[in-house]
Amino acid sequence: MSVEQARKIARAYRVSVDQGGNPSRDRKGSREAVTLSELATHYCEVYGPQRGLKAQTISDARRLLDRYALPRFGRRKVIEITVGDIRCIHNDTREKVSRYQANKLRAVLSRMFTLAIQNEWRSDNPCRGVEKFQEDRRWNYLSPAQVTALLDACDSYRDQHAADGVRLLLFTGARLREVTKATWDQFDLDQGFWVKPSSHTKTKIVHRLPLAPATVEMLHRMRSERPDTPFLFPGRDGTKPRVDLKRPWQCILESADIGHHRRHDLRRTNASFMLSTGSDLMTVGKSLGHTQASTTLGYASLFHTVQKDGITRATELMRAGR
């Protein structure tokens, strides 16, 4: 260190003391400051479970952080991370994977820095200075022909109880967690309603869902087959609900031979069928339990055949006067 550099540091210390600071305490605070890696651990292992985040959500966040953020900035102090650092991570993830994964990582980091602000580990969120990448809308719903193939595969699947879970996801548009944790006391089969408690819904609001007659008939059959359990889909010992339908879904999907789809695509499929058969967006949104119309717009899509019929009728009407 040169004499001039030492003088600059000394002057900075004097200014800090004059303003009521404590250089010794500040150095200690810097050494003890939380690193990005420590913040990630706190977010995934403490904050996430306390807030009731799904295990898959936490696992996905951990995977993104471990692959693209922590190898480069994990040892950096949270207070030292800049907007430029976040932009660097964001851009690198887009180049290595995709803009969708880059935006997901940015969202995870933003929630982490919000947590850091709440714990007074820093005073601002550097992610707010980084804009999301434009995402092309993905049409993740099954066509009528694919739905037919899926239902045929459900009919031939060896575990019909699990197949009923897939059918219920499709016929109601419910979320996986709502279906697997459902209990019979939530259903009024005489009136044809499913009342989901707020503890099971993503919006934390009670959701009253009307059921189609075919769905009610299926539920009556399911109830008669397992009359001694409170759960629609009990686990092996019957004392707890089934955790997942991942393996049955993969087997049914492979048997249907309709390409790769996620279970959540059944929710989009339900919404798209409703919209394409005449339901308006408000009705579709109510059925899905959405609180905002913009959310429903991201789920429901008109079938291409319906769009084609519409534009054909419009064209014929325009040509009729010639």
PDB file of all heavy atoms in Angstrom, residues 113-136:
ATOM      1  N   PHE A 113     -33.628 -11.795  -2.275  1.00  0.00           N
ATOM      2  CA  PHE A 113     -33.178 -10.471  -1.848  1.00  0.00           C
ATOM      3  C   PHE A 113     -34.280  -9.722  -1.101  1.00  0.00           C
ATOM      4  O   PHE A 113     -33.991  -8.890  -0.239  1.00  0.00           O
ATOM      5  CB  PHE A 113     -32.667  -9.667  -3.042  1.00  0.00           C
ATOM      6  CG  PHE A 113     -31.266 -10.043  -3.440  1.00  0.00           C
ATOM      7  CD1 PHE A 113     -31.021 -10.800  -4.568  1.00  0.00           C
ATOM      8  CD2 PHE A 113     -30.188  -9.666  -2.655  1.00  0.00           C
ATOM      9  CE1 PHE A 113     -29.731 -11.172  -4.924  1.00  0.00           C
ATOM     10  CE2 PHE A 113     -28.885 -10.025  -2.997  1.00  0.00           C
ATOM     11  CZ  PHE A 113     -28.655 -10.785  -4.131  1.00  0.00           C
ATOM     12  N   THR A 114     -35.531 -10.006  -1.420  1.00  0.00           N
ATOM     13  CA  THR A 114     -36.625  -9.452  -0.617  1.00  0.00           C
ATOM     14  C   THR A 114     -36.538  -9.990   0.806  1.00  0.00           C
ATOM     15  O   THR A 114     -36.740  -9.250   1.783  1.00  0.00           O
ATOM     16  CB  THR A 114     -37.983  -9.822  -1.239  1.00  0.00           C
ATOM     17  OG1 THR A 114     -38.081  -9.231  -2.542  1.00  0.00           O
ATOM     18  CG2 THR A 114     -39.132  -9.321  -0.377  1.00  0.00           C
ATOM     19  N   LEU A 115     -36.219 -11.277   0.920  1.00  0.00           N
ATOM     20  CA  LEU A 115     -36.017 -11.878   2.239  1.00  0.00           C
ATOM     21  C   LEU A 115     -34.834 -11.230   2.955  1.00  0.00           C
ATOM     22  O   LEU A 115     -34.889 -10.968   4.165  1.00  0.00           O
ATOM     23  CB  LEU A 115     -35.775 -13.380   2.083  1.00  0.00           C
ATOM     24  CG  LEU A 115     -35.428 -14.168   3.348  1.00  0.00           C
ATOM     25  CD1 LEU A 115     -36.578 -14.098   4.350  1.00  0.00           C
ATOM     26  CD2 LEU A 115     -35.113 -15.621   2.997  1.00  0.00           C
ATOM     27  N   ALA A 116     -33.772 -10.939   2.202  1.00  0.00           N
ATOM     28  CA  ALA A 116     -32.599 -10.287   2.794  1.00  0.00           C
ATOM     29  C   ALA A 116     -32.949  -8.898   3.331  1.00  0.00           C
ATOM     30  O   ALA A 116     -32.470  -8.487   4.396  1.00  0.00           O
ATOM     31  CB  ALA A 116     -31.484 -10.183   1.756  1.00  0.00           C
ATOM     32  N   ILE A 117     -33.794  -8.176   2.607  1.00  0.00           N
ATOM     33  CA  ILE A 117     -34.230  -6.852   3.064  1.00  0.00           C
ATOM     34  C   ILE A 117     -35.033  -6.980   4.354  1.00  0.00           C
ATOM     35  O   ILE A 117     -34.848  -6.207   5.302  1.00  0.00           O
ATOM     36  CB  ILE A 117     -35.065  -6.160   1.965  1.00  0.00           C
ATOM     37  CG1 ILE A 117     -34.191  -5.852   0.746  1.00  0.00           C
ATOM     38  CG2 ILE A 117     -35.701  -4.877   2.493  1.00  0.00           C
ATOM     39  CD1 ILE A 117     -34.972  -5.367  -0.464  1.00  0.00           C
ATOM     40  N   GLN A 118     -35.917  -7.973   4.406  1.00  0.00           N
ATOM     41  CA  GLN A 118     -36.732  -8.182   5.603  1.00  0.00           C
ATOM     42  C   GLN A 118     -35.874  -8.500   6.825  1.00  0.00           C
ATOM     43  O   GLN A 118     -36.222  -8.136   7.950  1.00  0.00           O
ATOM     44  CB  GLN A 118     -37.728  -9.318   5.353  1.00  0.00           C
ATOM     45  CG  GLN A 118     -38.789  -8.992   4.308  1.00  0.00           C
ATOM     46  CD  GLN A 118     -39.616 -10.200   3.922  1.00  0.00           C
ATOM     47  OE1 GLN A 118     -39.349 -11.324   4.360  1.00  0.00           O
ATOM     48  NE2 GLN A 118     -40.630  -9.987   3.094  1.00  0.00           N
ATOM     49  N   ASN A 119     -34.743  -9.172   6.585  1.00  0.00           N
ATOM     50  CA  ASN A 119     -33.834  -9.524   7.681  1.00  0.00           C
ATOM     51  C   ASN A 119     -32.747  -8.476   7.906  1.00  0.00           C
ATOM     52  O   ASN A 119     -31.824  -8.703   8.694  1.00  0.00           O
ATOM     53  CB  ASN A 119     -33.189 -10.883   7.405  1.00  0.00           C
ATOM     54  CG  ASN A 119     -34.137 -12.035   7.631  1.00  0.00           C
ATOM     55  OD1 ASN A 119     -34.345 -12.475   8.757  1.00  0.00           O
ATOM     56  ND2 ASN A 119     -34.741 -12.533   6.561  1.00  0.00           N
ATOM     57  N   GLU A 120     -32.849  -7.352   7.168  1.00  0.00           N
ATOM     58  CA  GLU A 120     -31.904  -6.236   7.292  1.00  0.00           C
ATOM     59  C   GLU A 120     -30.481  -6.652   6.949  1.00  0.00           C
ATOM     60  O   GLU A 120     -29.511  -6.190   7.536  1.00  0.00           O
ATOM     61  CB  GLU A 120     -31.962  -5.635   8.705  1.00  0.00           C
ATOM     62  CG  GLU A 120     -33.330  -5.062   9.055  1.00  0.00           C
ATOM     63  CD  GLU A 120     -33.359  -4.393  10.422  1.00  0.00           C
ATOM     64  OE1 GLU A 120     -32.377  -4.547  11.188  1.00  0.00           O
ATOM     65  OE2 GLU A 120     -34.357  -3.714  10.724  1.00  0.00           O
ATOM     66  N   TRP A 121     -30.360  -7.554   5.942  1.00  0.00           N
ATOM     67  CA  TRP A 121     -29.042  -7.957   5.463  1.00  0.00           C
ATOM     68  C   TRP A 121     -28.583  -7.077   4.313  1.00  0.00           C
ATOM     69  O   TRP A 121     -27.419  -7.090   3.950  1.00  0.00           O
ATOM     70  CB  TRP A 121     -29.062  -9.423   5.035  1.00  0.00           C
ATOM     71  CG  TRP A 121     -29.280 -10.361   6.191  1.00  0.00           C
ATOM     72  CD1 TRP A 121     -28.958 -10.135   7.497  1.00  0.00           C
ATOM     73  CD2 TRP A 121     -29.879 -11.652   6.147  1.00  0.00           C
ATOM     74  NE1 TRP A 121     -29.310 -11.204   8.277  1.00  0.00           N
ATOM     75  CE2 TRP A 121     -29.879 -12.159   7.477  1.00  0.00           C
ATOM     76  CE3 TRP A 121     -30.407 -12.447   5.128  1.00  0.00           C
ATOM     77  CZ2 TRP A 121     -30.386 -13.412   7.797  1.00  0.00           C
ATOM     78  CZ3 TRP A 121     -30.912 -13.698   5.448  1.00  0.00           C
ATOM     79  CH2 TRP A 121     -30.901 -14.171   6.769  1.00  0.00           C
ATOM     80  N   ARG A 122     -29.505  -6.350   3.713  1.00  0.00           N
ATOM     81  CA  ARG A 122     -29.207  -5.292   2.756  1.00  0.00           C
ATOM     82  C   ARG A 122     -30.463  -4.447   2.617  1.00  0.00           C
ATOM     83  O   ARG A 122     -31.540  -4.842   3.088  1.00  0.00           O
ATOM     84  CB  ARG A 122     -28.711  -5.826   1.417  1.00  0.00           C
ATOM     85  CG  ARG A 122     -29.724  -6.521   0.552  1.00  0.00           C
ATOM     86  CD  ARG A 122     -29.103  -6.904  -0.793  1.00  0.00           C
ATOM     87  NE  ARG A 122     -28.858  -5.746  -1.648  1.00  0.00           N
ATOM     88  CZ  ARG A 122     -27.895  -5.674  -2.559  1.00  0.00           C
ATOM     89  NH1 ARG A 122     -27.062  -6.677  -2.732  1.00  0.00           N
ATOM     90  NH2 ARG A 122     -27.749  -4.602  -3.317  1.00  0.00           N
ATOM     91  N   SER A 123     -30.338  -3.307   1.955  1.00  0.00           N
ATOM     92  CA  SER A 123     -31.450  -2.352   1.946  1.00  0.00           C
ATOM     93  C   SER A 123     -32.191  -2.273   0.618  1.00  0.00           C
ATOM     94  O   SER A 123     -33.193  -1.574   0.514  1.00  0.00           O
ATOM     95  CB  SER A 123     -30.926  -0.955   2.307  1.00  0.00           C
ATOM     96  OG  SER A 123     -29.941  -0.541   1.367  1.00  0.00           O
ATOM     97  N   ASP A 124     -31.698  -2.964  -0.422  1.00  0.00           N
ATOM     98  CA  ASP A 124     -32.361  -2.870  -1.719  1.00  0.00           C
ATOM     99  C   ASP A 124     -32.325  -4.227  -2.418  1.00  0.00           C
ATOM    100  O   ASP A 124     -31.636  -5.147  -1.987  1.00  0.00           O
ATOM    101  CB  ASP A 124     -31.691  -1.813  -2.598  1.00  0.00           C
ATOM    102  CG  ASP A 124     -30.259  -2.194  -2.943  1.00  0.00           C
ATOM    103  OD1 ASP A 124     -29.553  -2.719  -2.048  1.00  0.00           O
ATOM    104  OD2 ASP A 124     -29.835  -1.991  -4.088  1.00  0.00           O
ATOM    105  N   ASN A 125     -33.088  -4.326  -3.506  1.00  0.00           N
ATOM    106  CA  ASN A 125     -33.166  -5.562  -4.282  1.00  0.00           C
ATOM    107  C   ASN A 125     -32.546  -5.323  -5.656  1.00  0.00           C
ATOM    108  O   ASN A 125     -33.144  -4.660  -6.503  1.00  0.00           O
ATOM    109  CB  ASN A 125     -34.630  -5.994  -4.428  1.00  0.00           C
ATOM    110  CG  ASN A 125     -34.770  -7.363  -5.067  1.00  0.00           C
ATOM    111  OD1 ASN A 125     -33.884  -7.829  -5.769  1.00  0.00           O
ATOM    112  ND2 ASN A 125     -35.900  -8.009  -4.829  1.00  0.00           N
ATOM    113  N   PRO A 126     -31.351  -5.860  -5.916  1.00  0.00           N
ATOM    114  CA  PRO A 126     -30.672  -5.599  -7.190  1.00  0.00           C
ATOM    115  C   PRO A 126     -31.388  -6.208  -8.393  1.00  0.00           C
ATOM    116  O   PRO A 126     -31.141  -5.806  -9.531  1.00  0.00           O
ATOM    117  CB  PRO A 126     -29.294  -6.248  -6.987  1.00  0.00           C
ATOM    118  CG  PRO A 126     -29.523  -7.311  -5.965  1.00  0.00           C
ATOM    119  CD  PRO A 126     -30.564  -6.748  -5.039  1.00  0.00           C
ATOM    120  N   CYS A 127     -32.283  -7.160  -8.164  1.00  0.00           N
ATOM    121  CA  CYS A 127     -32.997  -7.791  -9.281  1.00  0.00           C
ATOM    122  C   CYS A 127     -33.970  -6.828  -9.949  1.00  0.00           C
ATOM    123  O   CYS A 127     -34.344  -7.021 -11.108  1.00  0.00           O
ATOM    124  CB  CYS A 127     -33.749  -9.026  -8.793  1.00  0.00           C
ATOM    125  SG  CYS A 127     -32.672 -10.335  -8.165  1.00  0.00           S
ATOM    126  N   ARG A 128     -34.384  -5.801  -9.211  1.00  0.00           N
ATOM    127  CA  ARG A 128     -35.346  -4.855  -9.773  1.00  0.00           C
ATOM    128  C   ARG A 128     -34.744  -4.013 -10.888  1.00  0.00           C
ATOM    129  O   ARG A 128     -35.471  -3.379 -11.644  1.00  0.00           O
ATOM    130  CB  ARG A 128     -35.889  -3.959  -8.662  1.00  0.00           C
ATOM    131  CG  ARG A 128     -36.752  -4.729  -7.664  1.00  0.00           C
ATOM    132  CD  ARG A 128     -37.258  -3.859  -6.547  1.00  0.00           C
ATOM    133  NE  ARG A 128     -38.079  -4.632  -5.607  1.00  0.00           N
ATOM    134  CZ  ARG A 128     -38.534  -4.169  -4.460  1.00  0.00           C
ATOM    135  NH1 ARG A 128     -38.255  -2.924  -4.096  1.00  0.00           N
ATOM    136  NH2 ARG A 128     -39.256  -4.941  -3.668  1.00  0.00           N
ATOM    137  N   GLY A 129     -33.436  -4.013 -10.986  1.00  0.00           N
ATOM    138  CA  GLY A 129     -32.790  -3.275 -12.065  1.00  0.00           C
ATOM    139  C   GLY A 129     -32.545  -4.111 -13.301  1.00  0.00           C
ATOM    140  O   GLY A 129     -31.926  -3.644 -14.258  1.00  0.00           O
ATOM    141  N   VAL A 130     -33.027  -5.365 -13.296  1.00  0.00           N
ATOM    142  CA  VAL A 130     -32.823  -6.279 -14.423  1.00  0.00           C
ATOM    143  C   VAL A 130     -34.180  -6.688 -14.982  1.00  0.00           C
ATOM    144  O   VAL A 130     -34.995  -7.284 -14.277  1.00  0.00           O
ATOM    145  CB  VAL A 130     -32.038  -7.535 -13.985  1.00  0.00           C
ATOM    146  CG1 VAL A 130     -31.853  -8.486 -15.162  1.00  0.00           C
ATOM    147  CG2 VAL A 130     -30.692  -7.144 -13.393  1.00  0.00           C
ATOM    148  N   GLU A 131     -34.429  -6.367 -16.234  1.00  0.00           N
ATOM    149  CA  GLU A 131     -35.714  -6.687 -16.845  1.00  0.00           C
ATOM    150  C   GLU A 131     -35.779  -8.149 -17.271  1.00  0.00           C
ATOM    151  O   GLU A 131     -34.774  -8.744 -17.656  1.00  0.00           O
ATOM    152  CB  GLU A 131     -35.959  -5.796 -18.070  1.00  0.00           C
ATOM    153  CG  GLU A 131     -36.145  -4.325 -17.741  1.00  0.00           C
ATOM    154  CD  GLU A 131     -36.512  -3.515 -18.972  1.00  0.00           C
ATOM    155  OE1 GLU A 131     -36.693  -4.129 -20.046  1.00  0.00           O
ATOM    156  OE2 GLU A 131     -36.619  -2.288 -18.860  1.00  0.00           O
ATOM    157  N   LYS A 132     -36.978  -8.720 -17.202  1.00  0.00           N
ATOM    158  CA  LYS A 132     -37.183 -10.091 -17.663  1.00  0.00           C
ATOM    159  C   LYS A 132     -37.008 -10.164 -19.173  1.00  0.00           C
ATOM    160  O   LYS A 132     -37.272  -9.201 -19.888  1.00  0.00           O
ATOM    161  CB  LYS A 132     -38.599 -10.559 -17.303  1.00  0.00           C
ATOM    162  CG  LYS A 132     -38.850 -10.748 -15.829  1.00  0.00           C
ATOM    163  CD  LYS A 132     -40.315 -11.047 -15.562  1.00  0.00           C
ATOM    164  CE  LYS A 132     -40.807 -12.246 -16.334  1.00  0.00           C
ATOM    165  NZ  LYS A 132     -42.234 -12.557 -16.027  1.00  0.00           N
ATOM    166  N   PHE A 133     -36.575 -11.320 -19.658  1.00  0.00           N
ATOM    167  CA  PHE A 133     -36.519 -11.548 -21.094  1.00  0.00           C
ATOM    168  C   PHE A 133     -37.934 -11.798 -21.614  1.00  0.00           C
ATOM    169  O   PHE A 133     -38.773 -12.380 -20.921  1.00  0.00           O
ATOM    170  CB  PHE A 133     -35.642 -12.763 -21.419  1.00  0.00           C
ATOM    171  CG  PHE A 133     -34.190 -12.567 -21.092  1.00  0.00           C
ATOM    172  CD1 PHE A 133     -33.537 -13.428 -20.232  1.00  0.00           C
ATOM    173  CD2 PHE A 133     -33.477 -11.513 -21.648  1.00  0.00           C
ATOM    174  CE1 PHE A 133     -32.201 -13.247 -19.928  1.00  0.00           C
ATOM    175  CE2 PHE A 133     -32.140 -11.320 -21.342  1.00  0.00           C
ATOM    176  CZ  PHE A 133     -31.500 -12.191 -20.479  1.00  0.00           C
ATOM    177  N   GLN A 134     -38.184 -11.339 -22.826  1.00  0.00           N
ATOM    178  CA  GLN A 134     -39.475 -11.582 -23.457  1.00  0.00           C
ATOM    179  C   GLN A 134     -39.654 -13.077 -23.680  1.00  0.00           C
ATOM    180  O   GLN A 134     -38.767 -13.748 -24.211  1.00  0.00           O
ATOM    181  CB  GLN A 134     -39.560 -10.842 -24.795  1.00  0.00           C
ATOM    182  CG  GLN A 134     -40.879 -11.016 -25.519  1.00  0.00           C
ATOM    183  CD  GLN A 134     -42.033 -10.341 -24.799  1.00  0.00           C
ATOM    184  OE1 GLN A 134     -41.865  -9.274 -24.219  1.00  0.00           O
ATOM    185  NE2 GLN A 134     -43.198 -10.969 -24.830  1.00  0.00           N
ATOM    186  N   GLU A 135     -40.790 -13.614 -23.277  1.00  0.00           N
ATOM    187  CA  GLU A 135     -41.058 -15.040 -23.437  1.00  0.00           C
ATOM    188  C   GLU A 135     -42.160 -15.253 -24.460  1.00  0.00           C
ATOM    189  O   GLU A 135     -43.190 -14.583 -24.416  1.00  0.00           O
ATOM    190  CB  GLU A 135     -41.476 -15.666 -22.098  1.00  0.00           C
ATOM    191  CG  GLU A 135     -40.400 -15.608 -21.029  1.00  0.00           C
ATOM    192  CD  GLU A 135     -40.828 -16.313 -19.748  1.00  0.00           C
ATOM    193  OE1 GLU A 135     -41.883 -16.986 -19.773  1.00  0.00           O
ATOM    194  OE2 GLU A 135     -40.121 -16.187 -18.738  1.00  0.00           O
ATOM    195  N   ASP A 136     -41.914 -16.182 -25.378  1.00  0.00           N
ATOM    196  CA  ASP A 136     -42.957 -16.566 -26.319  1.00  0.00           C
ATOM    197  C   ASP A 136     -43.957 -17.459 -25.600  1.00  0.00           C
ATOM    198  O   ASP A 136     -43.571 -18.347 -24.830  1.00  0.00           O
ATOM    199  CB  ASP A 136     -42.361 -17.329 -27.510  1.00  0.00           C
ATOM    200  CG  ASP A 136     -41.420 -16.454 -28.321  1.00  0.00           C
ATOM    201  OD1 ASP A 136     -41.668 -15.234 -28.388  1.00  0.00           O
ATOM    202  OD2 ASP A 136     -40.440 -16.991 -28.871  1.00  0.00           O
TER     203      ASP A 136
END
